[in-house]
Amino acid sequence: VVALALVLLNATLVDRRPPRVSEITLSATAFGDDRLAQTLTAIDLEFSEPVDRGSVERRFRIVPYVGGTFTWDRDTVVIFTPAKKLPSATEFTVSLLAGFSDRAGNVAPDDTAAFAFRTVGPPVVLSAEPRQGTAGLATDTTATLTFDRLMDTASVEASITVRPAIPYRSSWSGPNLTLTFRAPLAFGTTYTVTVGSDAADTDGSHLTGPFATAFTTVQA
């Protein structure tokens, strides 16, 4: 009886549950959207229990295909890092084929549900203050440009021109760039601020074309 009880107890303790993917996440999202990725993102897959690494890596699929490398956090999280920046404005799906296993040898019988995400498009200037065509502005006016994401500040500053030329100081707050002019602007003058297409975001994606805005100061 004791022997039978031990056999039954051992049988109940044997792990027969197949592993499953608990969660798929992006390491670098955009605008707070967990399905919108920056072009320099990794993809994390978390499992319900420790898994056999090779069985997972062989069954990982990303469509459209991109090459990359796998790194592991213990045996419960695998991180796929693409070998190069993902193309912008592109739809991807990530999944695991059936057959990956846990360390006890239990095999997942089904493909995982596909995780779909999209990469961001090129950066854009969302708004400018003063707004395009504003007139009658004070000669101590500042100009603020708001981008749709965090930018590579050096590339943006290098791409800016102000006409007529006047010295200014640049300051950033998140995606907002403020130009503070070092001398009073001339009366009754139209100034044009241009951001060239060399301006890039933190992923290295450039504006698709120059952005320009113009405003006019008050008459004397």
Side-chain angles (χ1 to χ4, degrees):
V1 175
V2 173
L4 178 60
L6 289 174
V7 170
L8 293 174
L9 177 61
N10 183 64
T12 60
L13 293 176
V14 172
D15 177 13
R16 293 188 175 86
R17 294 172 301 177
R20 58 184 176 81
V21 176
S22 302
E23 188 177 25
I24 301 177
T25 56
L26 303 169
S27 67
T29 58
F31 317 132
D33 186 339
D34 60 5
R35 296 296 182 105
L36 185 63
Q38 298 181 31
T39 53
L40 290 175
T41 189
I43 302 160
D44 300 358
L45 288 79
E46 183 175 352
F47 297 90
S48 58
E49 59 184 302
V51 292
D52 175 76
R53 297 183 179 188
S55 71
V56 168
E57 294 178 9
R58 290 190 297 272
R59 290 166 176 80
F60 177 85
R61 297 292 183 271
I62 180 169
V63 180
Y65 172 80
V66 293
T69 57
F70 297 99
T71 54
W72 287 83
D73 181 2
R74 298 178 297 276
D75 287 328
T76 56
V77 177
V78 62
I79 302 165
F80 175 76
T81 303
K84 59 183 179 181
K85 184 172 71 172
L86 297 177
S88 63
T90 302
E91 298 280 353
F92 288 90
T93 58
V94 171
S95 61
L96 279 183
L97 300 182
F100 65 94
S101 60
D102 61 19
R103 293 196 300 202
N106 298 303
V107 175
D110 302 309
D111 297 350
T112 63
F115 175 84
F117 69 93
R118 180 179 177 82
T119 52
V120 294
V124 297
V125 181
L126 291 178
S127 63
E129 289 292 341
R131 288 179 293 178
Q132 165 66 27
T134 303
L137 293 168
T139 59
D140 62 352
T141 291
T142 60
T144 299
L145 303 172
T146 298
F147 296 86
D148 70 338
R149 67 195 68 175
L150 295 177
M151 301 293 289
D152 172 33
T153 58
S155 71
V156 175
E157 292 173 16
S159 73
I160 289 178
T161 57
V162 179
R163 295 287 183 271
I166 184 170
Y168 61 86
R169 176 176 57 84
S170 301
S171 59
W172 289 86
S173 176
N176 304 308
L177 168 62
T178 298
L179 307 181
T180 302
F181 302 104
R182 296 185 180 277
L185 302 175
F187 287 106
T189 302
T190 297
Y191 288 87
T192 301
V193 177
T194 302
V195 183
S197 55
D198 287 340
D201 63 16
T202 53
D203 279 358
S205 299
H206 293 258
L207 270 66
T208 56
F211 171 87
T213 185
F215 57 88
T216 303
T217 55
V218 66
Q219 295 291 335

